[in-house]
Amino acid sequence: NGTAYYVMEYIDGNSLVEKVNRQGALSENEAVEYVKQVGNALDYIHQQRINHLDVKPVNIMIRKSDNKAILIDFGASKQYDEQGSQTSTTPVGIRYGYAPMEQYMPGGVNTFSPQTDIYALGATLYYLLTANTPPAPHQILTNGLIVPSHISTPLVKAIRQAMEQNKSKRPANISAFFFLLQINKIQINDGIKKLA
């Protein structure tokens, strides 16, 4: 009847929020492994000039069958043209603790910027390691970003740099963020398929 449908994969599992609520803060190895998997998904969409703009633990499902992290909810995503300008004017949602300063500003995500998703990925890592929602940007501007002392120095540095309030001071891409985490970029897993 002229109706459009789209089909999504059913993911049998739970979100990272549910996992942390159940078991508390994750170990560094486990948290970094999930961040690495989500980072690879972001790297793929960034190569297509797409920003997710809503990376947060509730939008990361852990598949029961293989313990893989799956990034979901592309409802706020924006695609950008070759010049880096947005191709839609859909409003951008703001998730407390995970949205960087530019998402609070009118026109703040009008141009393509992997750094916006990297901020949210760094905030997600903060949550996984502390079981606490990260502070909002205005709180970080006022008080700085306090990271608990039990977290290793490389991860503290990576989180702080990813959550820099000045976008130009954040890692420019996922590879640069992975370098801070002291991990090598892995091959994109089979859960990410090229759009036909």
Side-chain angles (χ1 to χ4, degrees):
N1 297 324
T3 303
Y5 299 88
Y6 77 94
V7 178
M8 295 183 291
E9 175 188 5
Y10 173 71
I11 302 166
D12 184 17
N14 296 302
S15 74
L16 277 176
V17 167
E18 293 168 304
K19 184 175 181 68
V20 169
N21 283 344
R22 199 170 50 251
Q23 71 182 60
L26 306 184
S27 71
E28 290 192 2
N29 286 341
E30 188 175 21
V32 168
E33 182 58 33
Y34 290 139
V35 164
K36 182 169 60 172
Q37 292 169 23
V38 174
N40 278 308
L42 289 172
D43 187 52
Y44 177 80
I45 68 167
H46 290 165
Q47 289 174 35
Q48 317 310 310
R49 304 191 75 73
I50 297 171
N51 270 32
H52 188 280
L53 300 175
D54 200 18
V55 177
K56 57 193 177 194
V58 75
N59 283 342
I60 301 167
M61 296 291 292
I62 305 303
R63 194 166 46 205
K64 227 184 259 183
S65 63
D66 59 7
N67 201 38
K68 296 293 183 195
I70 310 293
L71 181 61
I72 64 168
D73 195 356
F74 283 72
S77 299
K78 286 186 178 288
Q79 185 158 27
Y80 299 82
D81 62 22
E82 291 298 318
Q83 290 72 43
S85 299
Q86 65 182 350
T87 59
S88 71
T89 56
T90 54
V92 175
I94 296 170
R95 178 64 171 196
Y96 180 90
Y98 300 96
M101 188 66 78
E102 61 266 22
Q103 281 186 251
Y104 289 83
M105 300 164 24
V109 293
N110 285 352
T111 57
F112 178 63
S113 169
Q115 292 96 327
T116 301
D117 285 339
I118 289 168
Y119 181 101
L121 190 58
T124 296
L125 180 57
Y126 176 99
Y127 171 79
L128 297 178
L129 294 171
T130 65
N132 293 313
T133 301
H138 68 277
Q139 293 173 308
I140 295 172
L141 277 174
T142 304
N143 305 318
L145 179 62
I146 299 163
V147 182
S149 59
H150 72 273
I151 298 172
S152 68
T153 301
L155 294 190
V156 169
K157 181 180 175 185
I159 291 167
R160 283 200 171 126
Q161 198 158 348
M163 295 182 69
E164 273 285 344
Q165 296 309 297
N166 183 336
K167 181 168 60 171
S168 67
K169 292 184 178 177
R170 293 180 212 144
N173 53 46
I174 293 296
S175 292
F177 181 57
F178 281 1
F179 180 80
L180 291 174
L181 293 174
Q182 299 184 354
I183 57 175
N184 296 320
K185 190 171 137 189
I186 60 168
Q187 292 295 319
I188 295 173
N189 67 41
D190 63 355
I192 303 166
K193 296 176 177 64
K194 196 168 187 177
L195 297 176

